[in-house]
Amino acid sequence: MIKKNCKKFFLIFFFLPLLTLGQGKGPLPTKQQLAWHDMEFYLFVHFGPNTFTDKEWGLGDEPEDVFNPSDIDCKQWCRIAKASGAKGIIITAKHHDGFCLWPSKYSTHTVRESKWKNGKGDVLKELSEACKEYGLKFGVYISPWDRNHPKYGTPEYNDVFVNMMKEIFQNYGPIWELWWDGANGEGPNGKKQVYDWRRFENTVRSLSPKTIIFSDIGPDARWCGNEKGIAGKTNWNYLDTAGFTRGIGAPPNDTLNMGNVNGKNWIPAECDVSIRPGWFWHEQEDDKVKTPEQLFTLYLKSVGRGANLLLNVPPNRKGLISPEDSVALAGFKNLRDENFRDNLLKEARAYYEFSGKEILSKGIKVRNFGSGSYGANIPDFTVEFFKPTTINCIILREAIHLGQTVKHFKIQLIHFNKPVGEIEGTTIGRKRILTFPSQLVTSFHVSLDDKRGNDNVSGVAAYLINEKLVEK
Ligand code: FUL
């Protein structure tokens, strides 16, 4: 039964026939969202006057001259991002202090008014060009809350915000992701703004229909409900947004964290977190940069729970990513490479329990698939190793282009017919990484409880990772 020709298994097995199951029920991801899911991990860059004033939330009255990076090099950011395996960079084009990192015509609080490069500098231009050169996606964070703009708190500010977005999209595009912060405090005149979100959204959709719009409630990607970078162990890609608004009117954080099992919209979670305690660079935090191991744990708790990881790495006053951060990022990359190098299922086969028929033999080829009917329900499958193998990590994947349907799963670890451990969980989503104490097994059995009666599992892999990295 066990064929030796199973050498070239891909990192993940693909259960091709299952990809056609479960079609057409519930919301599905758009093409752009599917591509977004595959981005997995990318960098956030908080940079602006706060970098120079040691603040996290500037008041908006900081003189423009405080912004003066001595050796800015956006290519250095890109090289470091690339080397870390990040697939894009999202920059704070404008944070709450209102300072624009591009010479906006709609503000007098910009790089143009600073002495940096004699007012001729433009961070968005430098970074968007560097991202293109390095093959990284380029995204912008633009805070609607503006503590500087004199029009903030009046209907005219909505025009200002729309015009700023037009400038950004027209001059620095393509913009892969737009990040809307829900924060809404007072402006310089003590007033709060009533944001015209519908207009903002229409503007972006008409300027750049493929841009992923992130906010608390999407429409394309949602906040994961905390700034620790941790997705829910139960993490539905669905969310109900009716009756909710961005910011204070958003759904409760735990709803954002877990999504809604029967939610009406496909709005997956993105986990934002900083590599340092603060979002902006502060010298006194140089020794508080997260370690590669801590970053790996965050990866397990975000990407490993079906979400994306947006990791903030703030440049320093020179305009460079500090060595402490780049070393940690390189270590993080090494850990992912080393620990996920060998899919132990290269030496295994998988089959459906009910028929005993082999579903995988060589590479991604599938044979003897049930009765030939793709509509069949196949809730359980077994993976059998060629020889007893020690594992402490199993990855499951769901074919999310068909929706997300698995609401509960159980994995039984088996050593020569004897159960030796059990792992249980709820959702799978794009990728579910499960770690557990090392166990010698000869097989494991996966049972799926699917809310729609269609199982969309599209892949499984097993590893032996460094014991210290197993989630506690
Ligand atoms: C929050 C902001 O208030 C923080 O300063 C930071 O930008 C974070 C990513 O979003 O809402």
Side-chain angles (χ1 to χ4, degrees):
M1 283 277 272
I2 294 168
K3 304 276 186 312
K4 272 293 164 195
N5 57 4
C6 295
K7 285 266 152 56
K8 285 190 187 158
F9 272 108
F10 279 63
L11 192 66
I12 305 256
F13 288 156
F14 287 97
F15 296 173
L16 282 184
L18 294 180
L19 304 187
T20 56
L21 291 176
Q23 206 110 31
K25 291 181 193 156
L28 296 175
T30 62
K31 214 169 133 217
Q32 282 73 33
Q33 285 175 315
L34 273 178
W36 175 91
H37 278 282
D38 282 338
M39 292 284 289
E40 274 202 0
F41 159 58
Y42 32 91
L43 300 191
F44 215 176
V45 166
H46 275 64
F47 191 48
N50 295 340
T51 312
F52 301 85
T53 56
D54 241 346
K55 289 183 195 154
E56 276 291 311
W57 279 9
L59 296 172
D61 60 0
E62 296 76 19
E64 289 80 24
D65 278 348
V66 303
F67 183 81
N68 197 8
S70 53
D71 299 297
I72 191 166
D73 181 4
C74 293
K75 292 187 184 178
Q76 185 244 17
W77 309 357
C78 289
R79 277 194 298 277
I80 290 169
K82 207 60 193 176
S84 74
K87 300 211 176 112
I89 297 184
I90 301 179
I91 184 162
T92 52
K94 175 172 88 112
H95 202 250
H96 309 327
D97 57 27
F99 186 82
C100 301
L101 293 184
W102 79 105
S104 174
K105 278 195 280 184
Y106 302 94
S107 167
T108 52
H109 193 50
T110 79
V111 278
R112 187 186 48 232
E113 284 74 31
S114 76
K115 61 177 174 226
W116 175 58
K117 295 194 174 177
N118 296 319
K120 300 274 183 288
D122 183 341
V123 183
L124 292 198
K125 183 166 190 292
E126 287 189 30
L127 183 59
S128 57
E129 286 173 358
C131 281
K132 277 192 193 115
E133 186 180 330
Y134 283 83
L136 292 163
K137 299 279 188 201
F138 176 62
V140 289
Y141 163 116
I142 168 161
S143 168
W145 182 23
D146 192 316
R147 299 174 106 179
N148 172 273
H149 207 285
K151 296 273 193 258
Y152 192 85
T154 73
E156 288 101 297
Y157 175 78
N158 288 331
D159 299 332
V160 169
F161 194 70
V162 162
N163 284 326
M164 286 180 169
M165 290 195 295
K166 284 188 181 160
E167 281 182 327
I168 292 180
F169 278 85
Q170 283 160 359
N171 298 325
Y172 310 104
I175 307 295
W176 156 68
E177 179 170 327
L178 172 66
W179 221 89
W180 279 334
D181 197 308
N184 180 356
E186 285 94 27
N189 54 12
K191 290 192 198 148
K192 281 197 184 181
Q193 181 70 26
V194 180
Y195 300 131
D196 192 345
W197 286 115
R198 187 181 296 268
R199 186 173 161 211
F200 297 169
E201 209 172 299
N202 289 341
T203 304
V204 179
R205 286 287 194 242
S206 67
L207 286 169
S208 178
K210 293 187 176 159
T211 295
I212 291 288
I213 303 178
F214 166 99
S215 79
D216 299 326
I217 54 169
D220 302 312
R222 73 172 194 266
W223 186 45
C224 77
N226 62 67
E227 291 183 338
K228 294 193 222 138
I230 302 179
K233 279 188 178 168
T234 295
N235 177 20
W236 292 102
N237 290 313
Y238 304 121
L239 189 73
D240 281 323
T241 55
F244 293 109
T245 57
R246 297 177 173 94
I248 201 112
N253 288 351
D254 59 345
T255 303
L256 293 175
N257 195 239
M258 297 191 294
N260 297 114
V261 55
N262 293 314
K264 298 266 181 302
N265 314 282
W266 186 274
I267 308 180
E270 180 181 88
C271 299
D272 59 322
V273 62
S274 186
I275 197 164
R276 292 161 170 252
W279 291 101
F280 286 87
W281 179 85
H282 307 286
E283 189 172 14
Q284 69 276 16
E285 294 182 353
D286 275 350
D287 59 355
K288 298 191 176 66
V289 172
K290 291 186 174 60
T291 61
E293 290 73 20
Q294 286 171 320
L295 295 174
F296 188 89
T297 301
L298 284 177
Y299 178 81
L300 295 182
K301 292 184 175 179
S302 53
V303 174
R305 295 179 182 176
N308 277 5
L309 173 60
L310 172 60
L311 178 65
N312 180 61
V313 182
N316 57 28
R317 288 182 189 163
K318 287 185 181 163
L320 296 172
I321 292 176
S322 303
E324 292 82 357
D325 307 63
S326 60
V327 166
L329 280 173
F332 173 39
K333 170 76 160 64
N334 281 344
L335 288 182
R336 285 171 4 252
D337 285 352
E338 280 164 16
N339 287 285
F340 295 129
R341 183 169 296 133
D342 293 321
N343 179 0
L344 298 169
L345 303 195
K346 274 187 283 183
E347 300 291 328
R349 72 186 186 107
Y351 58 93
Y352 294 124
E353 196 75 339
F354 74 93
S355 67
K357 282 183 180 163
E358 198 167 337
I359 51 167
L360 302 161
S361 59
K362 187 176 161 202
I364 57 169
K365 282 208 188 108
V366 178
R367 61 178 199 183
N368 294 340
F369 180 72
S371 61
S373 153
Y374 288 164
N377 240 3
I378 301 152
D380 296 357
F381 64 91
T382 295
V383 176
E384 205 170 79
F385 290 91
F386 294 170
K387 54 178 192 278
T389 305
T390 304
I391 59 171
N392 59 9
C393 176
I394 291 176
I395 301 184
L396 296 174
R397 291 185 76 144
E398 206 168 337
I400 54 169
H401 67 289
L402 302 174
Q404 187 184 4
T405 67
V406 176
K407 63 174 192 229
H408 182 243
F409 63 86
K410 208 188 265 183
I411 305 175
Q412 195 169 53
L413 304 177
I414 299 159
H415 185 246
F416 292 115
N417 296 327
K418 191 171 147 249
V420 287
E422 198 166 81
I423 304 134
E424 256 189 283
T426 51
T427 53
I428 295 178
R430 179 180 172 274
K431 192 184 255 190
R432 186 68 201 266
I433 309 178
L434 302 144
T435 63
F436 44 89
S438 299
Q439 192 64 54
L440 184 69
V441 299
T442 50
S443 66
F444 60 86
H445 178 77
V446 179
S447 338
L448 302 166
D449 183 5
D450 183 293
K451 71 182 175 128
R452 298 205 182 102
N454 296 304
D455 303 288
N456 287 333
V457 166
S458 63
V460 56
Y463 300 90
L464 179 62
I465 66 169
N466 185 327
E467 197 64 43
K468 284 195 218 127
L469 298 171
V470 167
E471 252 186 281
K472 300 289 172 299

